[in-house]
Amino acid sequence: MIGKTFDQLNIGDSDRFSKTVTDADIYLFAGVTGDLNPAHIDEAYAQGTFFKTRIAHGMLSAGFISAVIGTRLPGPGTVYMRQTLEFLSPVRIGDTVTATVEVIEKMADKKRVRLKTTCVNQEGTKVLDGEALVSPPRPPKKS
């Protein structure tokens, strides 16, 4: 199974993935990445920060964008080449984050696609904004 090829993609195509962030997600992400910043894993410390409570790692939300690109749009076989990220608002335990990817440019010379990438929480607040450059999967070779 492969995702959409360059020729199957159109400007404006979009897809999304939603996930409610749990306490376990934050601890697992910290363990996998080694990012043990106490703002993420220590409630007593986090209460003394600007956010007043623990927040999720920004890169956890960025991972939801990767989920869309790798499994939905363009999908399996896509090569991720570049990603810009602007973290706009914190994600807290219990927030439902929806990552959306939209095709905004097709570059025919190298068969690459530029994508608008955003994440919003359950209130519609944008928590992450950015762009990605990907190489969509190639069509299967005919034998």
Side-chain angles (χ1 to χ4, degrees), residues 95-136:
D95 282 353
T96 299
V97 176
T98 300
T100 302
V101 170
E102 178 185 352
V103 176
I104 57 173
E105 182 181 4
K106 292 178 67 175
M107 296 168 247
D109 57 332
K110 294 192 177 184
K111 294 197 182 301
R112 293 186 180 159
V113 177
R114 193 164 59 102
L115 306 167
K116 177 181 170 113
T117 58
T118 59
C119 290
V120 298
N121 67 17
Q122 69 281 356
E123 296 167 354
T125 301
K126 192 180 285 189
V127 298
L128 184 153
D129 197 18
E131 286 190 5
L133 180 68
V134 301
S135 177

Side-chain angles (χ1 to χ4, degrees), residues 2 6 11 23 36 43 64 76 79 84 86 104 116 120 128:
I2 66 166
F6 181 84
I11 304 283
D23 189 55
L36 304 175
E43 184 61 36
F64 301 151
V79 176
T84 63
E86 184 178 0
I104 57 173
K116 177 181 170 113
V120 298
L128 184 153

Side-chain angles (χ1 to χ4, degrees), residues 79-97:
V79 176
Y80 217 142
M81 304 181 76
R82 181 174 54 223
Q83 175 74 55
T84 63
L85 300 168
E86 184 178 0
F87 300 101
L88 303 171
S89 191
V91 173
R92 293 177 172 82
I93 297 166
D95 282 353
T96 299
V97 176

